[in-house]
Amino acid sequence: MAIRNIREMGDPVLNKACKEVKEITDRTRELIDDMFDTMYEANGVGLAAPQVGILKRIVVIDVTGENPYLLINPVILETSGEQTGNEGCLSVPGRIGIVTRPNYVKVKAYDENLQPFELEGTELLARAICHELEHLDGHLYVERVEGELMNVSDMYEDEE
Ligand code: NI
């Protein structure tokens, strides 16, 4: 297990479409372990493989710190409702922006044994699922921001 370098906006790897995972090798397992370690180390709630420079359809999410989800080759089956709120990304450090997302999402994905399962999420989990899946097609949330991208430090300076 290891912490990997998180690629930042401007790195072309973040704008490429990822390939489907067809088999789970030792290297895939190592990548998955490293992705969880890297996400937790950076205090993130989600991380997609291209953010560590690997163009594979793999996402890790944990919005509570106690419910890790691994999604391989994820596909959205259903969405409903709407939520508008702040969103950030480990590849866009120090920034935050307002994004509207579905409030409910149902995805089909594959686990570490390539067995299919479905996952439903609402609120922050739904937001994280939508955000991370877009990384797999080379998109960042900044494309969807309503208004300006803000500096996190500006948002909190009045509270000191
Ligand atoms: Ni992100």
mmCIF file of all heavy atoms in Angstrom, residues 90-120:
data_model
loop_
_atom_site.group_PDB
_atom_site.id
_atom_site.type_symbol
_atom_site.label_atom_id
_atom_site.label_comp_id
_atom_site.label_asym_id
_atom_site.label_seq_id
_atom_site.Cartn_x
_atom_site.Cartn_y
_atom_site.Cartn_z
ATOM 1 N N LEU A 90 -10.103 16.703 -5.302
ATOM 2 C CA LEU A 90 -8.701 16.606 -4.886
ATOM 3 C C LEU A 90 -7.749 17.047 -6.000
ATOM 4 O O LEU A 90 -6.609 17.408 -5.734
ATOM 5 C CB LEU A 90 -8.375 15.171 -4.452
ATOM 6 C CG LEU A 90 -9.089 14.703 -3.176
ATOM 7 C CD1 LEU A 90 -8.774 13.237 -2.904
ATOM 8 C CD2 LEU A 90 -8.723 15.559 -1.976
ATOM 9 N N SER A 91 -8.249 17.050 -7.240
ATOM 10 C CA SER A 91 -7.414 17.490 -8.360
ATOM 11 C C SER A 91 -7.497 19.000 -8.591
ATOM 12 O O SER A 91 -6.837 19.520 -9.492
ATOM 13 C CB SER A 91 -7.804 16.752 -9.643
ATOM 14 O OG SER A 91 -7.492 15.378 -9.523
ATOM 15 N N VAL A 92 -8.344 19.665 -7.798
ATOM 16 C CA VAL A 92 -8.480 21.121 -7.894
ATOM 17 C C VAL A 92 -8.335 21.672 -6.475
ATOM 18 O O VAL A 92 -9.280 22.176 -5.884
ATOM 19 C CB VAL A 92 -9.848 21.517 -8.515
ATOM 20 C CG1 VAL A 92 -9.865 23.001 -8.886
ATOM 21 C CG2 VAL A 92 -10.167 20.667 -9.744
ATOM 22 N N PRO A 93 -7.142 21.544 -5.894
ATOM 23 C CA PRO A 93 -6.967 21.838 -4.467
ATOM 24 C C PRO A 93 -7.245 23.289 -4.124
ATOM 25 O O PRO A 93 -6.927 24.194 -4.902
ATOM 26 C CB PRO A 93 -5.492 21.480 -4.201
ATOM 27 C CG PRO A 93 -4.835 21.471 -5.533
ATOM 28 C CD PRO A 93 -5.894 21.094 -6.529
ATOM 29 N N GLY A 94 -7.871 23.479 -2.951
ATOM 30 C CA GLY A 94 -8.102 24.832 -2.444
ATOM 31 C C GLY A 94 -9.263 25.553 -3.082
ATOM 32 O O GLY A 94 -9.526 26.714 -2.781
ATOM 33 N N ARG A 95 -9.977 24.876 -3.981
ATOM 34 C CA ARG A 95 -11.079 25.521 -4.686
ATOM 35 C C ARG A 95 -12.381 24.810 -4.364
ATOM 36 O O ARG A 95 -12.382 23.634 -3.999
ATOM 37 C CB ARG A 95 -10.863 25.482 -6.198
ATOM 38 C CG ARG A 95 -9.614 26.170 -6.660
ATOM 39 C CD ARG A 95 -9.684 27.657 -6.359
ATOM 40 N NE ARG A 95 -8.587 28.351 -7.005
ATOM 41 C CZ ARG A 95 -8.714 28.953 -8.204
ATOM 42 N NH1 ARG A 95 -9.845 28.915 -8.862
ATOM 43 N NH2 ARG A 95 -7.678 29.582 -8.724
ATOM 44 N N ILE A 96 -13.466 25.551 -4.564
ATOM 45 C CA ILE A 96 -14.790 24.997 -4.332
ATOM 46 C C ILE A 96 -15.746 25.730 -5.269
ATOM 47 O O ILE A 96 -15.493 26.865 -5.662
ATOM 48 C CB ILE A 96 -15.146 25.187 -2.832
ATOM 49 C CG1 ILE A 96 -16.164 24.186 -2.362
ATOM 50 C CG2 ILE A 96 -15.543 26.610 -2.520
ATOM 51 C CD1 ILE A 96 -16.224 24.109 -0.838
ATOM 52 N N GLY A 97 -16.839 25.051 -5.653
ATOM 53 C CA GLY A 97 -17.813 25.698 -6.531
ATOM 54 C C GLY A 97 -19.178 25.084 -6.356
ATOM 55 O O GLY A 97 -19.319 23.970 -5.851
ATOM 56 N N ILE A 98 -20.194 25.828 -6.771
ATOM 57 C CA ILE A 98 -21.567 25.359 -6.629
ATOM 58 C C ILE A 98 -21.958 24.538 -7.854
ATOM 59 O O ILE A 98 -21.796 24.988 -8.992
ATOM 60 C CB ILE A 98 -22.528 26.550 -6.442
ATOM 61 C CG1 ILE A 98 -22.213 27.236 -5.104
ATOM 62 C CG2 ILE A 98 -23.990 26.099 -6.490
ATOM 63 C CD1 ILE A 98 -22.894 28.572 -4.920
ATOM 64 N N VAL A 99 -22.444 23.329 -7.589
ATOM 65 C CA VAL A 99 -22.836 22.418 -8.668
ATOM 66 C C VAL A 99 -24.188 21.796 -8.336
ATOM 67 O O VAL A 99 -24.428 21.421 -7.190
ATOM 68 C CB VAL A 99 -21.795 21.286 -8.856
ATOM 69 C CG1 VAL A 99 -22.206 20.350 -9.985
ATOM 70 C CG2 VAL A 99 -20.403 21.837 -9.120
ATOM 71 N N THR A 100 -25.053 21.692 -9.334
ATOM 72 C CA THR A 100 -26.338 21.011 -9.171
ATOM 73 C C THR A 100 -26.201 19.574 -9.679
ATOM 74 O O THR A 100 -25.661 19.338 -10.755
ATOM 75 C CB THR A 100 -27.441 21.757 -9.946
ATOM 76 O OG1 THR A 100 -27.569 23.057 -9.373
ATOM 77 C CG2 THR A 100 -28.772 21.037 -9.842
ATOM 78 N N ARG A 101 -26.642 18.657 -8.841
ATOM 79 C CA ARG A 101 -26.561 17.221 -9.152
ATOM 80 C C ARG A 101 -27.896 16.560 -8.831
ATOM 81 O O ARG A 101 -28.690 17.118 -8.070
ATOM 82 C CB ARG A 101 -25.505 16.556 -8.246
ATOM 83 C CG ARG A 101 -24.092 17.052 -8.378
ATOM 84 C CD ARG A 101 -23.414 16.505 -9.593
ATOM 85 N NE ARG A 101 -21.979 16.796 -9.583
ATOM 86 C CZ ARG A 101 -21.194 16.520 -10.613
ATOM 87 N NH1 ARG A 101 -21.672 15.948 -11.711
ATOM 88 N NH2 ARG A 101 -19.903 16.799 -10.556
ATOM 89 N N PRO A 102 -28.118 15.344 -9.308
ATOM 90 C CA PRO A 102 -29.290 14.591 -8.859
ATOM 91 C C PRO A 102 -29.195 14.323 -7.347
ATOM 92 O O PRO A 102 -28.094 14.185 -6.812
ATOM 93 C CB PRO A 102 -29.209 13.279 -9.633
ATOM 94 C CG PRO A 102 -28.213 13.487 -10.713
ATOM 95 C CD PRO A 102 -27.315 14.599 -10.284
ATOM 96 N N ASN A 103 -30.322 14.231 -6.686
ATOM 97 C CA ASN A 103 -30.295 13.937 -5.247
ATOM 98 C C ASN A 103 -30.317 12.440 -4.967
ATOM 99 O O ASN A 103 -30.085 12.004 -3.847
ATOM 100 C CB ASN A 103 -31.454 14.621 -4.532
ATOM 101 C CG ASN A 103 -31.205 14.739 -3.046
ATOM 102 O OD1 ASN A 103 -30.135 15.164 -2.622
ATOM 103 N ND2 ASN A 103 -32.165 14.328 -2.248
ATOM 104 N N TYR A 104 -30.614 11.672 -6.021
ATOM 105 C CA TYR A 104 -30.633 10.208 -5.887
ATOM 106 C C TYR A 104 -29.981 9.610 -7.128
ATOM 107 O O TYR A 104 -30.264 10.052 -8.252
ATOM 108 C CB TYR A 104 -32.075 9.703 -5.767
ATOM 109 C CG TYR A 104 -32.232 8.217 -6.008
ATOM 110 C CD1 TYR A 104 -32.080 7.307 -4.959
ATOM 111 C CD2 TYR A 104 -32.513 7.723 -7.283
ATOM 112 C CE1 TYR A 104 -32.207 5.941 -5.185
ATOM 113 C CE2 TYR A 104 -32.643 6.354 -7.514
ATOM 114 C CZ TYR A 104 -32.495 5.477 -6.462
ATOM 115 O OH TYR A 104 -32.618 4.116 -6.690
ATOM 116 N N VAL A 105 -29.142 8.627 -6.905
ATOM 117 C CA VAL A 105 -28.491 7.935 -8.020
ATOM 118 C C VAL A 105 -28.463 6.431 -7.734
ATOM 119 O O VAL A 105 -28.225 6.012 -6.598
ATOM 120 C CB VAL A 105 -27.028 8.415 -8.209
ATOM 121 C CG1 VAL A 105 -26.357 7.665 -9.334
ATOM 122 C CG2 VAL A 105 -26.968 9.894 -8.493
ATOM 123 N N LYS A 106 -28.714 5.660 -8.766
ATOM 124 C CA LYS A 106 -28.544 4.208 -8.669
ATOM 125 C C LYS A 106 -27.515 3.807 -9.720
ATOM 126 O O LYS A 106 -27.648 4.180 -10.892
ATOM 127 C CB LYS A 106 -29.879 3.522 -8.951
ATOM 128 C CG LYS A 106 -29.878 2.030 -8.791
ATOM 129 C CD LYS A 106 -31.254 1.544 -9.236
ATOM 130 C CE LYS A 106 -31.570 0.164 -8.822
ATOM 131 N NZ LYS A 106 -32.947 -0.175 -9.247
ATOM 132 N N VAL A 107 -26.481 3.087 -9.292
ATOM 133 C CA VAL A 107 -25.452 2.654 -10.233
ATOM 134 C C VAL A 107 -25.314 1.142 -10.226
ATOM 135 O O VAL A 107 -25.567 0.479 -9.218
ATOM 136 C CB VAL A 107 -24.042 3.230 -9.918
ATOM 137 C CG1 VAL A 107 -23.946 4.680 -10.215
ATOM 138 C CG2 VAL A 107 -23.607 2.937 -8.518
ATOM 139 N N LYS A 108 -24.881 0.631 -11.360
ATOM 140 C CA LYS A 108 -24.428 -0.749 -11.441
ATOM 141 C C LYS A 108 -22.909 -0.688 -11.536
ATOM 142 O O LYS A 108 -22.360 0.145 -12.265
ATOM 143 C CB LYS A 108 -24.999 -1.429 -12.681
ATOM 144 C CG LYS A 108 -24.541 -2.868 -12.818
ATOM 145 C CD LYS A 108 -24.989 -3.475 -14.133
ATOM 146 C CE LYS A 108 -24.517 -4.924 -14.202
ATOM 147 N NZ LYS A 108 -24.860 -5.531 -15.503
ATOM 148 N N ALA A 109 -22.247 -1.555 -10.791
ATOM 149 C CA ALA A 109 -20.790 -1.593 -10.856
ATOM 150 C C ALA A 109 -20.334 -3.019 -10.569
ATOM 151 O O ALA A 109 -21.150 -3.918 -10.337
ATOM 152 C CB ALA A 109 -20.189 -0.615 -9.850
ATOM 153 N N TYR A 110 -19.022 -3.211 -10.586
ATOM 154 C CA TYR A 110 -18.434 -4.527 -10.317
ATOM 155 C C TYR A 110 -17.492 -4.404 -9.131
ATOM 156 O O TYR A 110 -16.846 -3.365 -8.945
ATOM 157 C CB TYR A 110 -17.700 -5.040 -11.556
ATOM 158 C CG TYR A 110 -18.669 -5.298 -12.692
ATOM 159 C CD1 TYR A 110 -19.099 -4.244 -13.495
ATOM 160 C CD2 TYR A 110 -19.195 -6.565 -12.916
ATOM 161 C CE1 TYR A 110 -20.025 -4.456 -14.509
ATOM 162 C CE2 TYR A 110 -20.116 -6.780 -13.932
ATOM 163 C CZ TYR A 110 -20.527 -5.726 -14.723
ATOM 164 O OH TYR A 110 -21.452 -5.933 -15.713
ATOM 165 N N ASP A 111 -17.436 -5.461 -8.330
ATOM 166 C CA ASP A 111 -16.572 -5.434 -7.156
ATOM 167 C C ASP A 111 -15.171 -5.966 -7.496
ATOM 168 O O ASP A 111 -14.844 -6.203 -8.665
ATOM 169 C CB ASP A 111 -17.214 -6.198 -5.983
ATOM 170 C CG ASP A 111 -17.325 -7.703 -6.250
ATOM 171 O OD1 ASP A 111 -16.692 -8.212 -7.209
ATOM 172 O OD2 ASP A 111 -18.046 -8.371 -5.482
ATOM 173 N N GLU A 112 -14.338 -6.188 -6.463
ATOM 174 C CA GLU A 112 -12.946 -6.574 -6.680
ATOM 175 C C GLU A 112 -12.801 -7.981 -7.263
ATOM 176 O O GLU A 112 -11.704 -8.369 -7.677
ATOM 177 C CB GLU A 112 -12.138 -6.436 -5.378
ATOM 178 C CG GLU A 112 -12.518 -7.414 -4.270
ATOM 179 C CD GLU A 112 -13.765 -6.992 -3.476
ATOM 180 O OE1 GLU A 112 -14.404 -5.975 -3.857
ATOM 181 O OE2 GLU A 112 -14.104 -7.684 -2.506
ATOM 182 N N ASN A 113 -13.931 -8.722 -7.305
ATOM 183 C CA ASN A 113 -13.924 -10.031 -7.972
ATOM 184 C C ASN A 113 -14.668 -9.992 -9.309
ATOM 185 O O ASN A 113 -15.030 -11.032 -9.851
ATOM 186 C CB ASN A 113 -14.549 -11.079 -7.053
ATOM 187 C CG ASN A 113 -13.763 -11.224 -5.756
ATOM 188 O OD1 ASN A 113 -12.536 -11.380 -5.778
ATOM 189 N ND2 ASN A 113 -14.442 -11.130 -4.632
ATOM 190 N N LEU A 114 -14.945 -8.775 -9.766
ATOM 191 C CA LEU A 114 -15.708 -8.525 -10.992
ATOM 192 C C LEU A 114 -17.118 -9.114 -10.927
ATOM 193 O O LEU A 114 -17.671 -9.542 -11.936
ATOM 194 C CB LEU A 114 -14.959 -8.997 -12.243
ATOM 195 C CG LEU A 114 -13.790 -8.116 -12.678
ATOM 196 C CD1 LEU A 114 -13.211 -8.588 -14.019
ATOM 197 C CD2 LEU A 114 -14.187 -6.637 -12.798
ATOM 198 N N GLN A 115 -17.665 -9.148 -9.721
ATOM 199 C CA GLN A 115 -19.064 -9.535 -9.545
ATOM 200 C C GLN A 115 -19.924 -8.267 -9.561
ATOM 201 O O GLN A 115 -19.592 -7.289 -8.880
ATOM 202 C CB GLN A 115 -19.269 -10.264 -8.203
ATOM 203 C CG GLN A 115 -18.529 -11.583 -8.125
ATOM 204 C CD GLN A 115 -18.905 -12.523 -9.252
ATOM 205 O OE1 GLN A 115 -20.082 -12.848 -9.425
ATOM 206 N NE2 GLN A 115 -17.928 -12.930 -10.046
ATOM 207 N N PRO A 116 -21.027 -8.294 -10.327
ATOM 208 C CA PRO A 116 -21.859 -7.086 -10.422
ATOM 209 C C PRO A 116 -22.680 -6.841 -9.156
ATOM 210 O O PRO A 116 -23.059 -7.784 -8.463
ATOM 211 C CB PRO A 116 -22.786 -7.393 -11.608
ATOM 212 C CG PRO A 116 -22.832 -8.873 -11.689
ATOM 213 C CD PRO A 116 -21.529 -9.389 -11.175
ATOM 214 N N PHE A 117 -22.920 -5.581 -8.870
ATOM 215 C CA PHE A 117 -23.819 -5.197 -7.775
ATOM 216 C C PHE A 117 -24.418 -3.841 -8.113
ATOM 217 O O PHE A 117 -23.966 -3.165 -9.042
ATOM 218 C CB PHE A 117 -23.079 -5.150 -6.425
ATOM 219 C CG PHE A 117 -22.039 -4.062 -6.330
ATOM 220 C CD1 PHE A 117 -22.339 -2.852 -5.721
ATOM 221 C CD2 PHE A 117 -20.770 -4.241 -6.857
ATOM 222 C CE1 PHE A 117 -21.384 -1.831 -5.626
ATOM 223 C CE2 PHE A 117 -19.807 -3.225 -6.775
ATOM 224 C CZ PHE A 117 -20.128 -2.028 -6.162
ATOM 225 N N GLU A 118 -25.445 -3.483 -7.352
ATOM 226 C CA GLU A 118 -26.033 -2.163 -7.524
ATOM 227 C C GLU A 118 -25.884 -1.370 -6.238
ATOM 228 O O GLU A 118 -25.877 -1.944 -5.147
ATOM 229 C CB GLU A 118 -27.522 -2.271 -7.900
ATOM 230 C CG GLU A 118 -27.699 -2.792 -9.318
ATOM 231 C CD GLU A 118 -29.154 -2.897 -9.744
ATOM 232 O OE1 GLU A 118 -30.052 -2.541 -8.948
ATOM 233 O OE2 GLU A 118 -29.379 -3.361 -10.871
ATOM 234 N N LEU A 119 -25.727 -0.078 -6.377
ATOM 235 C CA LEU A 119 -25.583 0.812 -5.224
ATOM 236 C C LEU A 119 -26.504 2.005 -5.426
ATOM 237 O O LEU A 119 -26.543 2.586 -6.510
ATOM 238 C CB LEU A 119 -24.131 1.285 -5.109
ATOM 239 C CG LEU A 119 -23.847 2.370 -4.061
ATOM 240 C CD1 LEU A 119 -24.073 1.862 -2.638
ATOM 241 C CD2 LEU A 119 -22.412 2.897 -4.210
ATOM 242 N N GLU A 120 -27.251 2.323 -4.373
ATOM 243 C CA GLU A 120 -28.085 3.513 -4.403
ATOM 244 C C GLU A 120 -27.498 4.533 -3.447
ATOM 245 O O GLU A 120 -27.022 4.179 -2.371
ATOM 246 C CB GLU A 120 -29.509 3.190 -3.925
ATOM 247 C CG GLU A 120 -30.270 2.287 -4.857
ATOM 248 C CD GLU A 120 -31.623 1.927 -4.255
ATOM 249 O OE1 GLU A 120 -31.640 1.226 -3.221
ATOM 250 O OE2 GLU A 120 -32.634 2.370 -4.813
#
